[in-house]
Amino acid sequence: MSGTPKKHTKTHSTYAFESNTSNVAASQMRNALNKLADSVKGNPELHARFENEMDSFFSLFRRYLIEKSSKDTTLDWDKIKSPNPGEVVDYNSIQQSENVSNLDKLAVLKLNGGLGTSMGCVGPKSVIEVRDGNTFLDLSVRQIEYLNRKYDSDVPLLLMNSFNTDKDTEHLIKKYSANRIRIKSFNQSRFPRVYKDSLLPVPSDYDDLLDSWYPPGHGDLFESLHASGELDALIAQGREILFVSNGDNLGATVDLNILNHMLETGAEYIMELTDKTRADVKGGTLINYDGQVRLLEVAQVPKEHIDEFKNIRKFKNFNTNNLWINLKAIKRLIESSSLEMEIIPNAKTIIRGGHEINVLQLETACGAAIRHFNSAHGVVVPRSRFLPVKTCSDLLLVKSDLFFLQHGALKLDPSRFGPNPLIKLGSHFKKVSGFNARIPHIPKIVELDHLTITGNVFLGKNVTLKGTVIIVCSDGQKIDIPNGSVLENVVITGNLQILEH
């Protein structure tokens, strides 16, 4: 034998073995899903809807098996090019237009499937209080209501819930019944989680435990909108464009310039991008790949190129998940089964019989659908259109004097100079309850650049923070920042308790 080592590649027999294995896995899954569907008794309508859902899940699962056994699913790095000038345009270059008649063609959709669990809350994230007694949902409703009143329009608001948020949301939207706004909600799919080792579904019955199921990411929007009948209803009303955004992005307001630009250019899909800062290096970005616009997510990047992907000079902007999509194009792509988005396998654990068991949920992202739409492109928008609240650090920012509320929209204080401050709060502030207990009064931060607080720290009333402020409390100690303190470019460590006399 020659002494030159061969690069390890899969042999034909390995491929044959893998494709047989995935055929077996697919047929076992199909049988299990048929049994699941048969567990719905006495309700023909529910049975039909659930069967459709299981069919959608099966095609996703089969695609996952094929991709898993295929040669390579990461992109060929050498084929990745920066988008052409027409594929990503600057917001300032699009025509400024106050043509309000196009509002008749618009509907707004908020992705409302998320729970507030990561911030220690029970129920839908959209009911967390953000500002002046208003929740995320209140602000969305106020924005659209103001738009409808100002322009005498009738833009409807749709909420895509998950089975986790549906009941609570239905209850909440009753309070807006007197408002000048039509609110419709529908549910995204409920897919079965899959055991990682056997690749069989976790639930064996339609009414199985809640943690046997999962909502399959916002890429499920297209399918669910169609299956719910809402897509056809919107088209019948003469609506042409759907503006989609995350329920927790407080910057995602209706923008007439983008709406009119979309209708003028005939684009079927517009993705709002914004410039990356050091905090957003993992955000997906638009690329040109094999001559078409695509979204490149960090999960698709080969390991050896991760640093390059995170380089904000090479990939300057990222997807805000504010999307403008043509409704008839969605219908065309769904009915021809042409919407295949990259599958994101998400590993989770559940408890069964006292043991942790590894499960998979297969998800898709609606940004990845961009490559299936005609004349799709990105618009680089000001950072003010991206104000997500994912953590209590974000919550401090949006509750602060940096912003004021105008018709349900957060506006930046005009005296603020430069980008938003970088705020990092430690684990004591992870949950909203801990955050509220330690920061009962939001400090003034108009002149703040950077804030780090870790440990058992409490802020008093009327505290002002400027420049860079770092407060690190040692384990077992406590730091009390007294009422009226002004902290500018300071580092406070150890233990500090000022007693009022």
Side-chain angles (χ1 to χ4, degrees):
M1 288 191 61
S2 69
T4 53
K6 277 172 70 171
K7 185 169 178 271
H8 177 74
T9 53
K10 289 185 180 176
T11 60
H12 283 303
S13 59
T14 313
Y15 281 125
F17 172 75
E18 286 185 352
S19 92
N20 287 340
T21 317
S22 50
N23 287 342
V24 170
S27 65
Q28 286 180 329
M29 175 59 82
R30 184 68 271 182
N31 293 339
L33 294 176
N34 291 345
K35 278 192 190 133
L36 257 181
D38 290 343
S39 71
V40 180
K41 302 264 193 296
N43 184 337
E45 194 186 324
L46 178 65
H47 181 267
R49 198 166 66 234
F50 183 61
E51 212 167 29
N52 280 342
E53 239 168 25
M54 292 307 97
D55 287 348
S56 295
F57 172 73
F58 181 65
S59 57
L60 186 70
F61 177 75
R62 205 173 45 198
R63 220 157 45 82
Y64 165 71
L65 292 176
I66 293 166
E67 283 179 20
K68 203 159 81 98
S69 66
S70 77
K71 302 185 181 180
D72 197 5
T73 50
T74 52
L75 298 177
D76 179 347
W77 196 252
D78 298 330
K79 288 186 182 175
I80 291 176
K81 306 268 184 290
S82 295
N84 305 328
E87 290 169 343
V88 171
V89 300
D90 194 85
Y91 179 79
N92 295 323
S93 73
I94 67 180
Q95 214 176 344
Q96 305 297 296
S97 158
E98 277 284 298
N99 179 359
V100 297
S101 62
N102 284 334
L103 286 173
D104 295 344
K105 299 174 180 167
L106 180 70
V108 173
L109 184 140
K110 290 282 180 187
L111 301 168
N112 187 47
L115 290 167
T117 40
S118 60
M119 292 168 75
C121 294
V122 182
K125 188 172 180 185
S126 56
V127 304
I128 294 176
E129 190 183 310
V130 186
R131 198 160 174 128
D132 310 350
N134 290 283
T135 64
F136 288 108
L137 196 53
D138 291 335
L139 293 178
S140 297
V141 170
R142 283 182 61 185
Q143 286 166 21
I144 307 258
E145 193 179 32
Y146 169 70
L147 187 81
N148 285 340
R149 216 174 36 242
K150 182 180 177 185
Y151 296 117
D152 196 24
S153 55
D154 182 26
V155 175
L157 173 65
L158 286 88
L159 302 171
M160 180 168 86
N161 302 328
S162 65
F163 60 86
N164 291 317
T165 62
D166 179 48
K167 277 200 170 60
D168 289 339
T169 305
E170 278 303 315
H171 178 68
L172 285 167
I173 56 183
K174 288 196 176 82
K175 72 174 183 180
Y176 307 118
S177 56
N179 298 42
R180 180 173 174 159
I181 182 168
R182 285 184 296 139
I183 304 178
K184 298 283 284 207
S185 66
F186 64 95
N187 265 12
Q188 69 179 113
S189 307
R190 185 181 83 149
F191 281 179
R193 283 176 161 167
V194 174
Y195 289 117
K196 197 163 181 225
D197 51 4
S198 68
L199 290 181
L200 284 168
V202 173
S204 53
D205 187 274
Y206 176 80
D207 293 317
D208 224 322
L209 295 170
L210 264 193
D211 68 0
S212 308
W213 310 89
Y214 72 98
H218 43 62
D220 179 54
L221 159 75
F222 306 106
E223 195 76 49
S224 299
L225 189 66
H226 185 261
S228 67
E230 293 300 337
L231 178 64
D232 286 338
L234 289 171
I235 292 171
Q237 291 163 25
R239 306 283 157 184
E240 293 177 28
I241 309 291
L242 187 65
F243 172 44
V244 179
S245 62
N246 293 348
D248 64 11
N249 179 5
L250 295 173
T253 55
V254 169
D255 186 291
L256 277 170
N257 295 326
I258 299 177
L259 173 64
N260 294 328
H261 165 75
M262 184 166 183
L263 287 160
E264 277 158 28
T265 55
E268 290 185 342
Y269 189 114
I270 285 178
M271 175 184 287
E272 291 185 36
L273 307 161
T274 196
D275 289 339
K276 275 190 182 184
T277 63
R278 301 251 172 257
D280 325 292
V281 289
K282 288 183 177 169
T285 190
L286 282 191
I287 55 167
N288 181 299
Y289 190 82
D290 271 349
Q292 65 172 183
V293 184
R294 280 175 78 153
L295 180 66
L296 175 67
E297 297 276 14
V298 66
Q300 296 165 280
V301 178
K303 284 192 179 60
E304 63 274 22
H305 294 289
I306 291 283
D307 287 343
E308 203 179 329
F309 175 78
K310 289 182 178 177
N311 180 342
I312 59 179
R313 281 192 294 281
K314 173 155 183 162
F315 296 106
K316 294 189 181 67
N317 37 54
F318 70 100
N319 170 23
T320 61
N321 223 36
N322 298 350
L323 308 168
W324 301 74
I325 312 171
N326 181 292
L327 290 162
K328 283 183 178 159
I330 296 177
K331 186 173 167 73
R332 180 188 78 232
L333 291 165
I334 285 289
E335 290 181 351
S336 61
S337 305
S338 310
L339 270 180
E340 291 200 343
M341 288 157 279
E342 285 73 13
I343 296 170
I344 308 157
N346 193 349
K348 298 275 183 185
T349 54
I350 54 173
I351 306 289
R352 289 292 181 271
H355 298 287
E356 272 202 351
I357 296 181
N358 293 323
V359 296
L360 269 185
Q361 44 191 56
L362 306 177
E363 300 174 12
T364 58
C366 51
I370 189 166
R371 63 194 175 103
H372 297 292
F373 290 83
N374 299 328
S375 308
H377 58 276
V379 172
V380 182
V381 296
R383 183 76 188 197
S384 56
R385 291 189 58 73
F386 184 66
L387 256 186
V389 180
K390 303 285 181 205
T391 62
C392 288
S393 305
D394 299 331
L395 201 56
L396 173 58
L397 192 69
V398 299
K399 278 178 176 279
S400 75
D401 62 338
L402 205 54
F403 296 96
F404 60 96
L405 206 52
Q406 190 177 53
H407 311 304
L410 286 187
K411 302 286 185 193
L412 189 66
D413 182 308
S415 66
R416 172 71 187 179
F417 177 75
N420 290 346
L422 199 57
I423 296 176
K424 294 180 177 172
L425 302 178
S427 56
H428 286 72
F429 300 84
K430 188 171 162 54
K431 296 187 170 174
V432 172
S433 54
F435 171 87
N436 287 338
R438 288 178 170 75
I439 310 184
H441 309 280
I442 302 294
K444 298 185 177 68
I445 64 168
V446 170
E447 295 175 54
L448 177 72
D449 298 318
H450 180 115
L451 172 68
T452 295
I453 304 182
T454 58
N456 194 22
V457 176
F458 291 78
L459 299 192
K461 265 187 208 164
N462 297 322
V463 172
T464 304
L465 307 174
K466 302 179 178 187
T468 295
V469 177
I470 295 170
I471 307 172
V472 179
C473 181
S474 328
D475 273 353
Q477 306 287 339
K478 182 180 176 198
I479 292 181
D480 271 318
I481 303 297
N483 295 343
S485 302
V486 177
L487 305 180
E488 181 167 7
N489 296 325
V490 290
V491 177
I492 298 171
T493 56
N495 181 16
L496 172 72
Q497 278 175 284
I498 295 180
L499 301 171
E500 312 246 346
H501 293 293

